[in-house]
């Protein structure tokens, strides 16, 4: 397959979480066309099995492939942890970037004391993909993980500054703080929505790694290496596809990206 | 289709919530064979669109129909509200009971002051199916509703007595309490898991209607009317099918039903 700089960057996620990646790509690479698919009919992925997650990942990649992307970004940490090979295979030579590796790399770069905390869905944490990716870069680093299964529904419901959410977050984060970490990876693209609250709990001494921003940096690097970067032109609206509730998604998206967007397209899965 | 008393009672739900119906049926009708399907690969339904919910309901009914049930109980309020006709059509003459009508009837029977509160998922509440069903029985009754979108994840995560859950519940229930209701319908089969907590918030003056118990009473009535009741024999384990994570479901199920159960079968959707 011939890849062209004018082709879009394909991004997919289980739902709205991946919009944090869209936002990061838009601000870093304003001239790239983005095609985004959110599997809102089957969200969430993080509480499901590897078999099911791999099946969904295959279908999601198939949807993006119809638009002949020059790169596929897996904005879902759960898919990055459990099904990146499925996406690579279905991508037939299109470069694939997972949020997970990008987040792991940036975390290792930032940590001074070699003690990194990672939070994510139950499936991502159970896969041990973060400790594996981090230790592949530096085997000396100690990684401490905590599954935060209620963060996705809390984020989707807008409980970003609610005392109940803060109470739940404090319990999830407590055991990581006791380990003396100096870096915390938000290992789920929904979590940046709760970043302010998480930051207040962990305090200013701990660097928070947003895997959405990390993958945007990595995407720029990879596109530049392959001479596929769009460095000028007009910045276009992202093309948004979802498997359910396009109207709700549009409203959330406008809130998220802080800009009006054209209609969101419905794509059956 | 000929219905036989020895045939099983089919029950389906989006996930684990319908086990509250299994439990109620087991205690009221101990000699009935139960076949249960939980769509754990696509849970939750309550935050999705009517089109998607109807599609899933059709497939769920198809799975139960393979076991030639003598009755289908829709243990999911969201499906009862938005897709009961789909189930009836796919059921080809098998009697269908939705939790929603059963809960509505029992609530009208119990209310003294004609002011009934209903809580449920966003989709069920938006459908207005409860006010409609209650006012079809008695048009004088005033119905007040409140969507509680975080109750399903809180129940699935076991936050049954957590102060954060209680804080969230208090906010959801506050406006109903201000309306002077004397009856509160748990319009989602997950909510009985949080019943103690909800009861503490609303106080002993308000009668809580558990739609799982309501539908069990209704099932007994309907089976008796059609001479399909199994009044003796041995009580068998329920036959459990799920679309994902059978092991996790088995563990939850044992916790729920307070008994060991045989393996849970995986059924692809």
């Amino acid at each position: 397959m011939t890849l062209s700089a004018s082709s879009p960057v394909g991004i997919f996620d289980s739902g709205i979480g991946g919009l944090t990646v869209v936002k990061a790509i838009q601000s870093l690479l304003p001239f790239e066309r983005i095609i985004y698919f959110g599997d809102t009919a089957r969200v969430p992925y993080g509480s499901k099995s590897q078999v099911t997650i791999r099946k969904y990942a295959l279908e999601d990649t198939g949807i993006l492939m119809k638009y002949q992307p020059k790169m596929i970004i897996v904005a879902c940490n759960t898919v990055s942890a459990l099904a990146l090979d499925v996406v690579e295979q279905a991508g037939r030579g299109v470069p694939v970037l997972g949020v997970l590796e990008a987040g792991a790399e940036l975390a290792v770069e930032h940590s001074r004391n070699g003690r990194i905390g990672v939070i994510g869905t139950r499936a991502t944490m159970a896969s041990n993909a973060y400790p594996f990716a981090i230790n592949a870069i530096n085997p000396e680093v100690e990684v401490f993980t905590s599954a935060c299964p209620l963060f996705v529904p809390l984020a989707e419901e807008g409980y970003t500054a609610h005392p109940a959410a803060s109470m739940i977050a404090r319990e999830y984060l407590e055991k990581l703080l006791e380990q003396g970490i100096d870096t915390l990876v938000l290992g789920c693209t929904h979590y940046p929505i709760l970043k302010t609250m998480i930051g207040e709990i962990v305090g200013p001494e701990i660097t928070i790694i947003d895997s959405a921003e990390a993958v945007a940096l990595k995407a720029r690097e990879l596109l530049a290496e392959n001479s596929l970067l769009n460095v000028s032109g007009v910045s276009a609206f992202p093309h948004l596809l979802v498997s359910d509730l396009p109207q709700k998604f549009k409203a959330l998206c406008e809130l998220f990206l802080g800009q009006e967007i054209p209609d969101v397209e419905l794509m059956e899965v």
Side-chain angles (χ1 to χ4, degrees), chain A:
Chain A
M1 184 184 280
T2 330
L3 303 171
S4 147
S6 63
S7 299
V9 172
I11 304 175
F12 77 86
D13 182 45
S14 62
I16 66 161
L19 289 176
T20 58
V21 175
V22 172
K23 199 175 179 178
I25 294 276
Q26 277 190 321
S27 92
L28 203 64
L29 301 166
F31 305 116
E32 296 298 341
R33 278 198 303 133
I34 293 171
I35 172 110
Y36 180 88
F37 174 65
D39 192 7
T40 49
R42 302 186 294 197
V43 68
Y45 284 5
S47 53
K48 286 158 195 173
S49 72
Q50 182 165 19
V51 173
T52 295
I53 292 161
R54 289 172 76 83
K55 185 179 136 193
Y56 293 171
L58 182 67
E59 292 173 18
D60 299 344
T61 308
I63 288 171
L64 287 183
M65 285 300 284
K66 290 183 198 150
Y67 297 86
Q68 303 183 293
K70 61 181 173 184
M71 166 183 274
I72 292 175
I73 300 179
V74 180
C76 175
N77 276 273
T78 303
V79 172
S80 299
L82 296 161
L84 203 65
D85 59 318
V86 170
V87 179
E88 279 166 348
Q89 215 168 341
R92 301 192 303 274
V94 174
V96 173
L97 269 187
V99 270
L100 197 149
E101 270 80 19
E105 261 183 49
L106 204 61
V108 173
E109 263 174 48
H110 271 83
S111 179
R112 292 288 153 262
N113 73 358
R115 300 176 77 80
I116 296 176
V118 186
I119 53 176
T121 64
R122 220 189 276 286
T124 304
M125 294 301 100
S127 75
N128 267 322
Y130 265 106
F132 188 83
I134 289 171
N135 288 138
I137 305 166
N138 183 345
E140 306 283 300
V141 171
E142 282 203 81
V143 186
F144 307 92
T145 62
S146 176
C148 307
L150 283 170
F151 273 2
V152 170
L154 288 169
E156 296 247 350
E157 289 302 324
Y159 277 59
T160 54
H162 195 282
S166 179
M167 193 185 293
I168 292 167
R170 212 168 286 276
E171 288 175 17
Y172 284 151
L173 296 165
E174 217 161 47
K175 52 184 172 190
L176 294 183
L177 296 178
E178 284 165 9
Q179 298 297 337
I181 58 165
D182 72 346
T183 307
L184 176 68
V185 182
L186 306 184
C188 170
T189 34
H190 275 84
Y191 297 1
I193 304 173
L194 306 172
K195 196 173 176 176
T196 308
M197 189 180 74
I198 293 169
E200 277 163 14
I201 293 168
V202 302
E205 302 298 305
I206 291 177
T207 307
I208 294 178
I209 303 292
D210 178 339
S211 51
E213 285 169 18
V215 84
L217 288 166
K218 193 103 179 125
R220 183 171 62 181
E221 209 178 287
L222 193 63
L223 287 175
E225 269 172 27
N226 291 283
S227 310
L228 288 170
L229 211 53
N230 253 338
V231 287
S232 63
V234 285
S235 52
F237 288 118
H239 182 169
L240 303 168
L241 311 164
V242 291
S243 51
D244 199 18
L245 292 166
Q247 286 310 314
K248 185 185 165 197
F249 192 85
K250 184 176 191 292
L252 275 169
C253 198
E254 289 177 346
L255 199 72
F256 241 92
L257 304 178
Q259 64 182 45
E260 265 198 65
I261 53 154
D263 278 351
V264 174
E265 211 175 305
L266 186 65
M267 182 69 77
E268 215 176 314
V269 283

